[in-house]
Amino acid sequence: MESVPNVQELVRNDPLQVPESFLIGNEEEEDKLQSTADKYNPSSEIPIIDLSLLSRGSEEELHKLDKACEEWGFFQVINHGVATEVLQEMKDATAKFFELPLEEKNKIRMPPDDFQGYGRAYAVTQGQTLDWSDALFLSIYPTQYRRPNLWPTAPEGFKETIEAYSSGVKRIRDELLRCLSSTLGMEKDALLNLHQEVIQVLRANYYPPCKMPDKVLGLSPHSDTSTITILMQEDNVTGLQIRKEGEWVPVKPIPNAFVVNVGDVMEIWSNGKYRSIEHRAVTTESKSRISYASFILPHAEVEVEPFGHIVELSGSQKYKKVKYGDYLGSSLKKGKLKGKSHIETAKIGS
Ligand SMILES: O=C(O)CCC(=O)C(=O)O
Ligand SMILES: [Fe+2]
């Protein structure tokens, strides 16, 4: 860990220098160029879900949600009821935090045996290309998993801001999990109960600008090991891309909307009906970007396996039973995630 540089500091010291450990290989670079950004405008096709309609029991919106999870694994949520001021305060305070001097941020530096605190998005194993990003990672709910000594004390009021933001995300999370229980043919609280404890962790990703944006990746292609992930991105910089039919599709920010994606747990539970889609973050030459990912996870003891009624409908069980803690643990040990390689380990026949 010691040897992994802080990216923001690298850029502060010398904006023109990109150390070799960050340079992506030729293969990755070719893949990177396959972005469809210039061909057509596919981002408008990423489904938009109106949460207020879902809350009012709209069958039509529920059907849209079901199709979004099946065909895209990604959608944007509007009319979610979290106040714009709460979102803006979170953005302002987090930006101020990352602007602090390194010594200040290092007061809550991620310990080697923990994933919480200020550090990197993934553990780094030898030989892996490094991602062009730093991160602040905090366990939010249930509150007993918090490590208060790894929560930022500056800027003033940041803790309360994180609290207000996260409680907004929690409401969205519960509403979506209820709706997804319905779309999967179960009673409303089924998914919430199956988590045993619904765990919510927050990662703020900071991507400094990079003078060679085509030579690095902010976050390498991966799928999330969560049930779902609820992400806020900035309004004025595009960085998130998702893999759709082999091409990289940018997710253009809709002001104040959340981007939600299906994670590996949902893919397993739904026997592959809902897909955990590979995504990545790219950097830009002149603007930094911050994204805010709330990962929703089941308790470590939960045995995740495809639902019987869905297996019956689809004819065969496609995934094995995995204990969530083991699944997550082995993924973290691998360090940086490689596309969808981890969920392959849960597939029957792997
Ligand atoms: O920065 C983004 O938009 C993507 C973040 C992400 O995929 C993650 O934190 O897992
Ligand atoms: Fe992700």
Side-chain angles (χ1 to χ4, degrees), residues 19 25 121 145-146 156 192 316:
Y145 296 138
R146 292 184 189 181
E156 211 192 314
L192 284 165
S316 70

Side-chain angles (χ1 to χ4, degrees), residues 71 91 213 281 285 322:
E71 291 164 9
K91 289 175 185 165
E285 204 174 328
V322 293

Side-chain angles (χ1 to χ4, degrees), residues 122 203 205 207 219 222 224 231 240 279 281 289 291 293 295:
Y122 298 111
R203 179 165 77 203
N205 301 296
Y207 308 97
L219 211 52
H222 66 281
D224 292 345
L231 180 108
L240 175 61
H279 54 284
R289 172 173 177 267
S291 67
F295 301 100

Side-chain angles (χ1 to χ4, degrees), residues 328-346:
L328 178 65
S330 62
S331 144
L332 293 175
K333 240 187 263 145
K334 281 184 191 160
K336 204 170 76 170
L337 303 174
K338 251 199 147 172
K340 289 197 50 150
S341 63
H342 194 54
I343 199 171
E344 290 300 323
T345 65

Side-chain angles (χ1 to χ4, degrees), residues 8-20:
Q8 190 175 4
E9 217 55 23
L10 278 178
V11 178
R12 268 184 187 162
N13 293 337
D14 183 357
L16 293 176
Q17 193 219 357
V18 180
E20 203 163 326

